[in-house]
Amino acid sequence: MVNIVGNVIGNSEAACRPISAISYEHFTGRIERNTIVAVVQPCATPTIRNLPSAIFVGSLLGFPGAAPTIRYNDIVGNAFAGVHIAGNQTSAIDLTCNWWGSASGPSGTGSGSGDAIVLADGAAMPVFGPFATAPIAKSTGVCD
């Protein structure tokens, strides 16, 4: 089990090099209460290991699927995707109660205008509602 909790991850230089803030493959655990703001820029390029996104879950290299719970994070201003789920993820992932940078929720798989949830072909649809309608990572409250 690997837990990633309570971090502030940024890219103050707006560099192209960061492909993701968190790349999570094969493990179980929690990704919670992190602030991931503008880490992935439009100039980021894919690698053989992951695709541009604030949080990349799964494997492009054939490892078994991961099983994280991803909640109470502020995922804002990241190019390409807030969360990208690889095709080897055949079980639904819990993405509830995240702030996507918009009160309308995530774009992509979601219908809002915030950072996108992107699913690769074959990936299971995550559970992403309810979502937070304001920043939540540093609060003690729960999702709306």
Side-chain angles (χ1 to χ4, degrees):
M1 179 180 313
V2 175
N3 296 322
I4 303 170
V5 180
N7 299 286
V8 175
I9 306 169
N11 181 354
S12 61
E13 295 181 12
C16 298
R17 188 152 175 96
I19 303 305
S20 60
I22 298 170
S23 181
Y24 200 95
E25 60 185 12
H26 186 64
F27 298 107
T28 63
R30 302 177 300 131
I31 300 173
E32 292 183 355
R33 304 268 179 215
N34 298 291
T35 301
I36 305 169
V37 178
V39 172
V40 181
Q41 302 298 308
C43 54
T45 56
T47 68
I48 62 168
R49 186 151 205 134
N50 64 345
L51 301 173
S53 51
I55 301 172
F56 183 80
V57 179
S59 175
L60 300 177
L61 301 175
F63 294 118
T69 299
I70 303 172
R71 297 180 297 196
Y72 313 120
N73 299 287
D74 296 337
I75 305 168
V76 181
N78 294 283
F80 303 100
V83 174
H84 192 125
I85 301 174
N88 73 322
Q89 293 299 122
T90 56
S91 296
I93 295 172
D94 180 357
L95 296 178
T96 57
C97 298
N98 291 296
W99 164 245
W100 301 96
S102 170
S104 64
S107 60
T109 297
S111 60
S113 61
D115 277 24
I117 298 172
V118 175
L119 300 177
D121 290 342
M125 177 66 75
V127 177
F128 58 88
F131 52 82
T133 56
I136 196 165
K138 301 301 176 205
S139 74
T140 57
V142 294
C143 191
D144 293 340

